[in-house]
């Protein structure tokens, strides 16, 4: 008799519509994560040094805000770069998601589904990540941007920064993706299907 494999995904709390991204701020790129975690350190260092300066040239008021507890010394040093802000621990990431223009997760290392990405998607943010960052997600309708080369990062983000309508549309699709695939109700059904099969 063949074995049956059950999958129970990561669950995401869906914020109330009054709390989601407003898409009004034009100058705020956000990264959220534990900032002592090496893949996150690598990601923000890559973005700050290889991508952000090119964006800043076109958008002088742009800020790259690195949100997360226990920033490594390498992350703290990035705050000396023009436009880069390192917050350290914050009580809630919600205000940052609500005020974001873009949420980026330029993951070059690490594995598995990224909670920071699916949380941002639940808030209706416009999200850009890499193939590594998108692991575990089945993206088929441009719900998020999946980017890999530095030149592509610059090109895609410049396009998104100039197109508020597209950002809002992607954010809405991202939120619907989470509702349909990773909400409490969906994951509960997956869990109980597994339990009832045992």
């Amino acid at each position: 008799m063949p074995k049956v494999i059950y999958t129970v995904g990561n669950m995401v709390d869906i914020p109330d519509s009054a709390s989601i991204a407003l898409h009004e701020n034009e100058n705020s790129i956000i990264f959220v994560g534990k900032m002592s975690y090496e893949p996150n350190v690598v990601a923000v260092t890559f973005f700050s040094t290889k991508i952000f300066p090119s964006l800043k040239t076109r958008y002088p008021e742009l800020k790259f805000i690195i949100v997360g507890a226990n920033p490594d010394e390498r992350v703290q040093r990035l705050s000396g770069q023009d436009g880069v802000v390192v917050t350290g621990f914050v009580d809630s990431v919600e205000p940052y998601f609500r005020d974001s223009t873009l949420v980026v997760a330029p993951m070059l290392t690490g594995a598995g589904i990224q909670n920071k990405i699916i949380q941002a998607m639940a808030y209706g943010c416009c999200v850009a990540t890499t193939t590594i960052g998108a692991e575990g997600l089945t993206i088929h309708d441009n719900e998020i941007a999946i980017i890999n080369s530095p030149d592509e990062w610059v090109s895609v983000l410049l396009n998104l920064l100039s197109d508020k309508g597209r950002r809002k549309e992607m954010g809405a699709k991202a939120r619907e993706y989470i509702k349909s695939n990773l909400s409490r109700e969906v994951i509960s059904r997956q869990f109980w299907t597994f339990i009832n099969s045992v």
Side-chain angles (χ1 to χ4, degrees):
M1 186 179 199
K3 291 183 178 179
V4 178
I5 297 174
Y6 293 89
T7 300
V8 179
N10 289 36
M11 188 196 78
V12 187
D13 285 322
I14 309 295
D16 185 271
S17 58
S19 302
I20 65 173
L22 298 173
H23 297 286
E24 295 298 334
N25 191 332
E26 301 288 330
N27 297 305
S28 182
I29 299 178
I30 307 295
F31 179 96
V32 173
K34 183 179 179 184
M35 293 319 305
S36 57
Y37 178 53
E38 186 65 18
N40 289 345
V41 175
V42 171
V44 298
T45 300
F46 163 73
F47 190 84
S48 296
T49 58
K50 303 295 185 184
I51 311 304
F52 187 65
S54 296
L55 306 180
K56 186 82 169 160
T57 298
R58 286 279 297 276
Y59 293 90
E61 301 302 314
L62 197 62
K63 294 189 182 303
F64 177 42
I65 305 175
I66 302 169
V67 181
N70 304 316
D72 182 278
E73 285 184 10
R74 290 166 291 173
V75 177
Q76 293 179 42
R77 285 198 293 271
L78 294 173
S79 65
Q81 182 179 331
D82 183 29
V84 178
V85 177
V86 178
T87 69
F89 172 82
V90 296
D91 289 327
S92 172
V93 296
E94 183 175 299
Y96 294 92
F97 284 145
R98 290 189 75 220
D99 202 36
S100 67
T101 311
L102 300 168
V103 174
V104 296
M107 310 310 295
L108 303 179
T109 59
I113 197 163
Q114 300 286 326
N115 287 325
K116 57 180 152 285
I117 293 175
I118 59 178
Q119 187 179 19
M121 292 172 71
Y123 274 89
C125 300
C126 181
V127 178
T129 188
T130 59
T131 301
I132 290 174
E135 279 184 3
L137 301 176
T138 306
I139 301 303
H140 57 79
D141 192 26
N142 201 36
E143 294 94 341
I144 63 175
I146 300 175
I147 313 166
N148 289 301
S149 74
D151 287 346
E152 189 182 9
W153 268 102
V154 172
S155 172
V156 171
L157 294 194
L158 284 176
N159 183 278
L160 287 171
L161 286 167
S162 70
D163 193 340
K164 178 180 175 180
R166 186 174 172 216
R167 295 196 306 266
K168 290 183 74 170
E169 181 183 8
M170 287 178 65
K173 287 182 178 180
R175 183 168 159 85
E176 286 305 313
Y177 177 95
I178 297 300
K179 286 181 178 180
S180 299
N181 294 279
L182 298 173
S183 66
R184 182 180 298 272
E185 293 75 18
V186 171
I187 300 306
S188 292
R189 285 199 300 272
Q190 293 176 355
F191 176 77
W192 285 110
T193 297
F194 165 66
I195 291 298
N196 291 331
S197 73
V198 175

